[in-house]
Amino acid sequence: MIKKLRRIFIVFLVVDLCVAGYLGFRLVETSVPDRLFAFVGSVEDIPLPLFFNTKEDKARETFQVTNKDSGFSILSEKVGDYRVPVSLFGIWPIKDVDVHVIEETKVAPSGEPIGIYVETNGLLVLDTAEIEGEDGLTYEPGGNVVKSGDYILKWNNRSVATITQLTAAIQTTGKKKVKVTIRRGKEKLEVAMRPILATDKKYKIGVWVREDTQGIGTLTYVTENGTFGTLGHGITDADTGTLLNLQEGELYRTKILGIEKGEDGEPGELHGYINMVAANEIGDIEKNTKLGVFGKMKQESISEYSSNYMPVGMKQDIKKGKAWIYANLEGRVKKYEIKIENIKINSTDNKSMIIKITDKDLLSLTGGIVQGMSGSPIIQNNKVIGAVTHVLVDDPTRGYGVFIENMLAE
């Protein structure tokens, strides 16, 4: 009996230790930052859980670390990269926090609706299909050769940037088997394909492709040197979910024509018109990443933001509670109240914060977060801290935001 009780006690002890270890791991992951950005000459207060602290270093002139009751503070007089060790009870090492000290950054938050037009770097493969040949048989030349998400770069050693160019190249090839250069992920591959003469007397390969895309979003910020960031998430193909590999693109002024309100299970949408004429072009798109779309404003457009620059708030500045978003839904930019419900201190993706729309006017207008509001800047304590990125489909009043520091690091 004693042995049996001892075994039960050991089992419970092991379980308790496992649970405690897991909870401790989660506490570290959710409360102790892996990486921080700090400004030169500015004291940054970093909160830590109870019983966690750092090794103080007040001797160095360039970078000083001071323990506080609820964390630690850092002060640097020089740009550079530093490490701050965090320990439990000042005894057991937990992790090193990487601190990147940079010059103070200011951006002009926008909130203006923008039209985005981009061309892909190559032709994006959507799918393959069967073709009925002139001989009455069915063929699928692209099957098991290319797949959804690939990019066709060259046909028979000739670059093909448009569907028209690819179609012409296929007709020139005829029924000859040729080399096709594709990009799959980060890898370039060479495959072979033979066109089929279809019933309409044209040669085809049975591959659906896309060469460009366009849509509406919200401009997040413009920096003092004229670069911009928007959306807070990348542009992906609607059919494949693939992050588009861009060749070039433009940013246009646009106007909202109507608003489809969001409901539970049905995200709403902003409806607008992109008039792609030179007079409406305000920027050149240079990069599409999972954290947003980035580029350079036209010189004549930069001056429009020169009086609106605000300090950037890093993730350690963000607090749960009241904040604001900027959006132009009724002909001018207005600020709408939101609540920051959760902060994921170690997030490197575009879901760094969970936010909730609390502004009655905005709820009446849109029902919450709708498609097209992605990129709306988030403001707290007169600092730009992030951007709206996604809506929760089952609750359009709530959604995600990305840290502004993650966007600026791109």
PDB file of all heavy atoms in Angstrom, residues 30 79 110 126-127 221 250 274 282 310 329 353 372 380 384 401:
ATOM      1  N   THR A  30       5.792  34.789 -23.479  1.00  0.00           N
ATOM      2  CA  THR A  30       4.786  35.836 -23.640  1.00  0.00           C
ATOM      3  C   THR A  30       5.137  37.127 -22.909  1.00  0.00           C
ATOM      4  O   THR A  30       4.509  38.154 -23.168  1.00  0.00           O
ATOM      5  CB  THR A  30       3.411  35.353 -23.126  1.00  0.00           C
ATOM      6  OG1 THR A  30       3.533  34.949 -21.758  1.00  0.00           O
ATOM      7  CG2 THR A  30       2.919  34.178 -23.954  1.00  0.00           C
ATOM      8  N   VAL A  79      24.256  54.433 -31.307  1.00  0.00           N
ATOM      9  CA  VAL A  79      23.588  53.432 -32.128  1.00  0.00           C
ATOM     10  C   VAL A  79      24.406  52.139 -32.111  1.00  0.00           C
ATOM     11  O   VAL A  79      25.635  52.162 -32.168  1.00  0.00           O
ATOM     12  CB  VAL A  79      23.430  53.934 -33.574  1.00  0.00           C
ATOM     13  CG1 VAL A  79      22.965  52.810 -34.496  1.00  0.00           C
ATOM     14  CG2 VAL A  79      22.458  55.106 -33.629  1.00  0.00           C
ATOM     15  N   SER A 110      -1.286  58.001 -41.939  1.00  0.00           N
ATOM     16  CA  SER A 110      -2.164  58.455 -43.014  1.00  0.00           C
ATOM     17  C   SER A 110      -3.625  58.100 -42.752  1.00  0.00           C
ATOM     18  O   SER A 110      -4.386  58.919 -42.273  1.00  0.00           O
ATOM     19  CB  SER A 110      -1.699  57.877 -44.352  1.00  0.00           C
ATOM     20  OG  SER A 110      -2.606  58.226 -45.383  1.00  0.00           O
ATOM     21  N   LEU A 126      -1.922  29.510 -61.627  1.00  0.00           N
ATOM     22  CA  LEU A 126      -3.081  29.310 -60.770  1.00  0.00           C
ATOM     23  C   LEU A 126      -3.486  27.837 -60.714  1.00  0.00           C
ATOM     24  O   LEU A 126      -3.782  27.302 -59.655  1.00  0.00           O
ATOM     25  CB  LEU A 126      -4.262  30.148 -61.256  1.00  0.00           C
ATOM     26  CG  LEU A 126      -4.042  31.660 -61.355  1.00  0.00           C
ATOM     27  CD1 LEU A 126      -5.292  32.342 -61.888  1.00  0.00           C
ATOM     28  CD2 LEU A 126      -3.650  32.240 -60.011  1.00  0.00           C
ATOM     29  N   ASP A 127      -3.480  27.188 -61.881  1.00  0.00           N
ATOM     30  CA  ASP A 127      -3.906  25.795 -61.940  1.00  0.00           C
ATOM     31  C   ASP A 127      -3.600  25.242 -63.324  1.00  0.00           C
ATOM     32  O   ASP A 127      -3.227  25.995 -64.241  1.00  0.00           O
ATOM     33  CB  ASP A 127      -5.416  25.692 -61.658  1.00  0.00           C
ATOM     34  CG  ASP A 127      -5.823  24.316 -61.127  1.00  0.00           C
ATOM     35  OD1 ASP A 127      -4.955  23.416 -61.093  1.00  0.00           O
ATOM     36  OD2 ASP A 127      -6.992  24.164 -60.746  1.00  0.00           O
ATOM     37  N   TYR A 221       1.678  54.747 -43.308  1.00  0.00           N
ATOM     38  CA  TYR A 221       2.586  55.836 -42.924  1.00  0.00           C
ATOM     39  C   TYR A 221       3.460  56.266 -44.096  1.00  0.00           C
ATOM     40  O   TYR A 221       3.640  55.544 -45.073  1.00  0.00           O
ATOM     41  CB  TYR A 221       3.492  55.398 -41.765  1.00  0.00           C
ATOM     42  CG  TYR A 221       4.449  54.281 -42.127  1.00  0.00           C
ATOM     43  CD1 TYR A 221       5.648  54.537 -42.807  1.00  0.00           C
ATOM     44  CD2 TYR A 221       4.160  52.951 -41.812  1.00  0.00           C
ATOM     45  CE1 TYR A 221       6.513  53.509 -43.155  1.00  0.00           C
ATOM     46  CE2 TYR A 221       5.021  51.926 -42.155  1.00  0.00           C
ATOM     47  CZ  TYR A 221       6.189  52.212 -42.819  1.00  0.00           C
ATOM     48  OH  TYR A 221       7.049  51.200 -43.188  1.00  0.00           O
ATOM     49  N   GLU A 250       2.296  50.311 -58.625  1.00  0.00           N
ATOM     50  CA  GLU A 250       2.048  51.722 -58.336  1.00  0.00           C
ATOM     51  C   GLU A 250       0.976  51.875 -57.269  1.00  0.00           C
ATOM     52  O   GLU A 250       0.128  51.006 -57.082  1.00  0.00           O
ATOM     53  CB  GLU A 250       1.580  52.463 -59.607  1.00  0.00           C
ATOM     54  CG  GLU A 250       2.613  52.564 -60.706  1.00  0.00           C
ATOM     55  CD  GLU A 250       2.599  51.343 -61.606  1.00  0.00           C
ATOM     56  OE1 GLU A 250       1.487  50.860 -61.924  1.00  0.00           O
ATOM     57  OE2 GLU A 250       3.692  50.862 -61.975  1.00  0.00           O
ATOM     58  N   ILE A 274     -10.443  52.637 -58.621  1.00  0.00           N
ATOM     59  CA  ILE A 274      -9.066  53.055 -58.855  1.00  0.00           C
ATOM     60  C   ILE A 274      -8.963  53.617 -60.274  1.00  0.00           C
ATOM     61  O   ILE A 274      -9.046  52.861 -61.256  1.00  0.00           O
ATOM     62  CB  ILE A 274      -8.080  51.876 -58.703  1.00  0.00           C
ATOM     63  CG1 ILE A 274      -8.293  51.161 -57.374  1.00  0.00           C
ATOM     64  CG2 ILE A 274      -6.645  52.359 -58.824  1.00  0.00           C
ATOM     65  CD1 ILE A 274      -7.473  49.886 -57.239  1.00  0.00           C
ATOM     66  N   ILE A 282       0.649  58.224 -56.759  1.00  0.00           N
ATOM     67  CA  ILE A 282       1.349  58.913 -55.669  1.00  0.00           C
ATOM     68  C   ILE A 282       2.608  58.189 -55.198  1.00  0.00           C
ATOM     69  O   ILE A 282       3.379  58.742 -54.415  1.00  0.00           O
ATOM     70  CB  ILE A 282       0.420  59.126 -54.454  1.00  0.00           C
ATOM     71  CG1 ILE A 282      -0.098  57.786 -53.917  1.00  0.00           C
ATOM     72  CG2 ILE A 282      -0.725  60.061 -54.811  1.00  0.00           C
ATOM     73  CD1 ILE A 282      -0.900  57.905 -52.628  1.00  0.00           C
ATOM     74  N   MET A 310       4.746  62.055 -36.492  1.00  0.00           N
ATOM     75  CA  MET A 310       4.577  61.712 -35.086  1.00  0.00           C
ATOM     76  C   MET A 310       5.664  60.727 -34.681  1.00  0.00           C
ATOM     77  O   MET A 310       6.197  59.996 -35.526  1.00  0.00           O
ATOM     78  CB  MET A 310       3.201  61.062 -34.850  1.00  0.00           C
ATOM     79  CG  MET A 310       2.018  61.965 -35.104  1.00  0.00           C
ATOM     80  SD  MET A 310       0.432  61.065 -34.927  1.00  0.00           S
ATOM     81  CE  MET A 310       0.493  60.611 -33.200  1.00  0.00           C
ATOM     82  N   LEU A 329     -13.266  57.220 -44.304  1.00  0.00           N
ATOM     83  CA  LEU A 329     -14.409  56.462 -44.800  1.00  0.00           C
ATOM     84  C   LEU A 329     -15.544  57.368 -45.269  1.00  0.00           C
ATOM     85  O   LEU A 329     -16.488  56.893 -45.905  1.00  0.00           O
ATOM     86  CB  LEU A 329     -14.933  55.539 -43.693  1.00  0.00           C
ATOM     87  CG  LEU A 329     -13.902  54.566 -43.102  1.00  0.00           C
ATOM     88  CD1 LEU A 329     -14.495  53.847 -41.889  1.00  0.00           C
ATOM     89  CD2 LEU A 329     -13.465  53.557 -44.148  1.00  0.00           C
ATOM     90  N   MET A 353      -1.048  42.166 -32.196  1.00  0.00           N
ATOM     91  CA  MET A 353      -2.004  42.656 -31.195  1.00  0.00           C
ATOM     92  C   MET A 353      -3.405  42.187 -31.560  1.00  0.00           C
ATOM     93  O   MET A 353      -3.715  42.039 -32.747  1.00  0.00           O
ATOM     94  CB  MET A 353      -2.008  44.193 -31.160  1.00  0.00           C
ATOM     95  CG  MET A 353      -0.721  44.853 -30.775  1.00  0.00           C
ATOM     96  SD  MET A 353      -0.837  46.669 -30.950  1.00  0.00           S
ATOM     97  CE  MET A 353      -0.458  46.879 -32.699  1.00  0.00           C
ATOM     98  N   GLY A 372     -10.261  46.327 -46.783  1.00  0.00           N
ATOM     99  CA  GLY A 372      -9.964  47.674 -47.285  1.00  0.00           C
ATOM    100  C   GLY A 372      -9.447  48.576 -46.181  1.00  0.00           C
ATOM    101  O   GLY A 372      -8.802  49.585 -46.447  1.00  0.00           O
ATOM    102  N   GLN A 380      -1.481  55.423 -30.114  1.00  0.00           N
ATOM    103  CA  GLN A 380      -1.680  55.392 -28.661  1.00  0.00           C
ATOM    104  C   GLN A 380      -0.685  56.356 -28.020  1.00  0.00           C
ATOM    105  O   GLN A 380       0.492  56.354 -28.360  1.00  0.00           O
ATOM    106  CB  GLN A 380      -1.481  53.974 -28.110  1.00  0.00           C
ATOM    107  CG  GLN A 380      -1.885  53.836 -26.634  1.00  0.00           C
ATOM    108  CD  GLN A 380      -1.684  52.427 -26.116  1.00  0.00           C
ATOM    109  OE1 GLN A 380      -0.564  51.924 -26.106  1.00  0.00           O
ATOM    110  NE2 GLN A 380      -2.765  51.774 -25.699  1.00  0.00           N
ATOM    111  N   VAL A 384       2.669  56.499 -33.119  1.00  0.00           N
ATOM    112  CA  VAL A 384       2.206  55.495 -34.077  1.00  0.00           C
ATOM    113  C   VAL A 384       2.773  54.146 -33.632  1.00  0.00           C
ATOM    114  O   VAL A 384       3.988  53.970 -33.589  1.00  0.00           O
ATOM    115  CB  VAL A 384       2.686  55.812 -35.507  1.00  0.00           C
ATOM    116  CG1 VAL A 384       2.085  54.817 -36.497  1.00  0.00           C
ATOM    117  CG2 VAL A 384       2.321  57.235 -35.902  1.00  0.00           C
ATOM    118  N   GLY A 401      -3.603  43.533 -35.226  1.00  0.00           N
ATOM    119  CA  GLY A 401      -2.742  44.629 -35.637  1.00  0.00           C
ATOM    120  C   GLY A 401      -1.300  44.178 -35.624  1.00  0.00           C
ATOM    121  O   GLY A 401      -0.932  43.232 -34.928  1.00  0.00           O
TER     122      GLY A 401
END
